[in-house]
Amino acid sequence: MTAARTLSPPRSPARSLPASARRGIVAALSGALTAVIPAAAEAQKRSISLIRDAEIEQLLRDYAAPIFKAAGINARGTRIILINDRAFNAFVADGKSIFVNIGVLMDAATPNEVIGVLAHESGHLAGGHLARLRQEIQGAQILSIAGLLAGAGAVVAGARSGGGSMGNAGIGAMGALTGPQELVRRSLLAYQRSEEQAADRAAVRYLGAAGMSAKGMLTVFGRFAENSAFLSRSIDPYTLSHPMPTERIAQLETLAKASPHFNKLDPPELQARHDLMRAKLMGFVEREAGVARRYGIADRSMAARYARAISDYRSGRMAQALATIDQLSAEEPRNAYFLELKGQALLEAGRAREAVPVLRQAVALAPNGGLIRQMLGHALLSTGQPALLDEAIRELSNAASREPDSADAHQHLSNAYAAKGNIAMAELSAAQYAFVKGDWTVAHTQASRALGKLPKGSPAALRARDIVDYVPPDKQR
């Protein structure tokens, strides 16, 4: 797992958070929600920390694959992005990304619960709810303007009838100014509630078509029904963007139980991967005491030992951590992620030469893992051995092509090219690093420098030209 990074919007011009973001499956028990919060503006108010991890991302892709197929969603063009937030929440954005808080993964006891969340968000994607919501917002803006103009006219009429004083007519007119805006807000929220219900129904269909149970969805909604029960008497349901949890359960239960797959359990091997994923998150996110509370010393399960190994390495008990990881690898010799963890621990301890053969094994077991290749390339570079530079460049180039939004891959690749003496490619990689970080000035400068050195018409020169010619969003008209 790579360290969480702070997202400074926009991350990447082609992949930055969109102009408007959907609230997800569980956001919205408070009654003071606005209809839509622009994601970039929200990110500016508070930093959004993302987590990258090859094991967790692969598991989520495996969870989502049958759902995407049933929903007709292009799996290759849809990303699942992890947010470092313990709240149980998920949402969709830009029509091709599902954002999932790690709280969803840490609190969900079974794969089916997470799959239910992904199925719901897939309902939003397949239903084109983002595009339709933008249309609703545009219509709402027109209605709001019309309401304000009508209210302003009433104020003028009231002032005239009152001899220059608003009087009672003026008070009524002020109500006319605020009333239409509240009606517009409630209209938009009603529209969002209808979308949420549509996504719920679609999710049940997708799960049925994929031969999966919708019980996990009911479990999730049941949890929220319990958590929000004490609020139900004081909340005005018409000021929410989501249906009340009890209402959602009532609507879904009949549909879910009608499926022949309702009582179907998750395969044991999938549950085991799920348990390891939760343990990994606990080990990295929670403090040592929290890990100890969740996984007592008497717990000898693979998940418990995984969490303790991570906690040990983060706490500086390297020998103990490596011994436990070696035990886990002996029990599952084809588990690339145990080897990845060992390689990461060695690399971060300054033992890059020991990390290299371990990470080579991990790549051999998971050749499509761009993040693992990135770590291997970093380890090769960190050895300081000139003989390994070509391999480092090869692995980092592979990683950068698989993970184009990874700033670290481009940064390490720039350093590797510089060590090799290839200044043009070092400058191009530095430009791509700055581009991903959203530093347009540095990206333009580095790409311009590279462009003067690269062979004309080469793929590298074309990439540099793209960066030079790029116009940032705040400069576009």
Side-chain angles (χ1 to χ4, degrees):
M1 178 182 291
T2 61
R5 302 188 187 93
T6 299
L7 178 62
S8 301
R11 290 284 292 179
S12 166
R15 299 173 175 83
S16 60
L17 290 174
S20 57
R22 284 284 304 138
R23 289 285 180 175
I25 190 169
V26 299
L29 287 179
S30 63
L33 290 176
T34 55
V36 173
I37 299 177
E42 181 72 359
Q44 288 170 352
K45 293 177 185 176
R46 61 180 183 87
S47 61
I48 298 176
S49 183
L50 302 184
I51 285 180
R52 298 298 314 277
D53 181 76
E55 179 178 13
I56 298 173
E57 290 176 7
Q58 184 58 55
L59 180 60
L60 291 179
R61 284 194 291 269
D62 291 344
Y63 283 170
I67 299 299
F68 286 170
K69 182 178 180 181
I73 293 172
N74 179 8
R76 290 189 176 182
T78 305
R79 300 182 304 163
I80 301 175
I81 299 171
L82 292 174
I83 297 180
N84 187 16
D85 192 326
R86 282 292 277 114
F88 196 112
N89 192 19
F91 59 92
V92 300
D94 72 13
K96 58 182 180 181
S97 301
I98 298 177
F99 290 81
V100 180
N101 284 6
I102 60 170
V104 172
L105 309 181
M106 296 177 75
D107 292 346
T110 67
N112 191 242
E113 292 178 36
V114 177
I115 291 169
V117 171
L118 295 175
H120 172 90
E121 301 307 331
S122 296
H124 285 306
L125 289 179
H129 291 173
L130 276 171
R132 290 167 55 195
L133 183 61
R134 292 190 187 102
Q135 294 174 357
E136 288 290 319
I137 291 170
Q138 291 172 355
Q141 289 171 340
I142 294 171
L143 288 173
S144 182
I145 292 170
L148 286 171
L149 290 175
V155 170
V156 173
R160 287 177 179 172
S161 65
S165 173
M166 282 190 178
N168 291 335
I171 294 173
M174 291 304 295
L177 278 173
T178 57
Q181 296 179 67
E182 177 60 17
L183 289 175
V184 166
R185 186 174 79 94
R186 289 188 175 227
S187 175
L188 281 173
L189 290 172
Y191 177 76
Q192 286 186 270
R193 288 194 298 274
S194 71
E195 282 188 342
E196 293 301 325
Q197 292 168 340
D200 288 346
R201 292 191 295 270
V204 174
R205 290 199 308 273
Y206 303 154
L207 290 164
M212 296 177 171
S213 172
K215 186 179 290 186
M217 282 185 66
L218 292 179
T219 300
V220 168
F221 291 145
R223 186 180 301 134
F224 289 112
E226 294 173 1
N227 292 342
S228 63
F230 73 99
L231 294 172
S232 60
R233 294 182 181 179
S234 59
I235 288 180
D236 179 355
Y238 296 103
T239 62
L240 297 178
S241 64
H242 289 54
M244 292 293 286
T246 52
E247 179 185 338
R248 299 180 88 166
I249 291 174
Q251 292 174 345
L252 282 176
E253 195 163 20
T254 301
L255 286 174
K257 289 185 175 180
S259 169
H261 309 294
F262 182 73
N263 290 313
K264 187 174 181 179
L265 299 177
D266 294 308
E269 60 274 13
L270 197 63
Q271 182 66 56
R273 291 177 64 192
H274 185 83
D275 293 342
L276 287 176
M277 174 266 294
R278 296 178 74 199
K280 188 174 205 175
L281 284 170
M282 283 293 297
F284 274 106
V285 173
E286 293 290 333
R287 295 182 178 180
E288 188 175 359
V291 175
R293 282 193 298 270
R294 173 71 75 91
Y295 301 101
I297 194 65
D299 187 347
R300 300 301 300 165
S301 67
M302 183 168 281
R305 286 179 288 152
Y306 198 25
R308 286 196 291 267
I310 295 169
S311 183
D312 285 339
Y313 122 68
R314 291 182 63 224
S315 301
R317 294 185 293 274
M318 188 59 66
Q320 187 171 331
L322 293 176
T324 303
I325 297 170
D326 284 342
Q327 290 174 0
L328 295 172
S329 292
E331 294 173 29
E332 283 195 7
R334 297 197 60 78
N335 189 318
Y337 307 113
F338 291 157
L339 293 169
E340 179 196 22
L341 176 62
K342 181 177 181 179
Q344 179 177 350
L346 290 169
L347 179 59
E348 293 181 0
R351 298 160 64 177
R353 295 191 182 191
E354 295 175 67
V356 165
V358 176
L359 290 171
R360 282 176 177 152
Q361 292 179 58
V363 167
L365 291 171
N368 296 323
L371 294 176
I372 304 178
R373 286 185 179 274
Q374 175 181 305
M375 192 180 298
L376 171 57
H378 183 200
L380 289 162
L381 179 62
S382 298
T383 64
Q385 295 181 289
L388 297 179
L389 282 175
D390 286 340
E391 184 183 358
I393 290 172
R394 194 164 56 247
E395 292 297 340
L396 289 167
S397 296
N398 190 313
S401 66
R402 295 174 184 274
E403 301 289 343
D405 284 342
S406 173
D408 287 348
H410 296 297
Q411 185 179 43
H412 297 321
L413 188 55
S414 179
N415 292 334
Y417 276 124
K420 188 71 175 175
N422 190 336
I423 302 305
M425 290 302 295
E427 289 172 340
L428 175 58
S429 295
Q432 291 175 300
Y433 166 75
F435 191 77
V436 170
K437 298 287 285 184
D439 191 337
W440 318 126
T441 301
V442 172
H444 184 279
T445 300
Q446 293 287 356
S448 297
R449 291 173 178 170
L451 196 57
K453 303 180 181 73
L454 293 166
K456 290 184 178 181
S458 65
L462 294 176
R463 290 201 302 274
R465 172 56 64 186
D466 286 342
I467 296 175
V468 169
D469 292 342
Y470 177 74
V471 179
D474 60 345
K475 302 295 184 182
Q476 295 176 6
R477 292 184 179 180

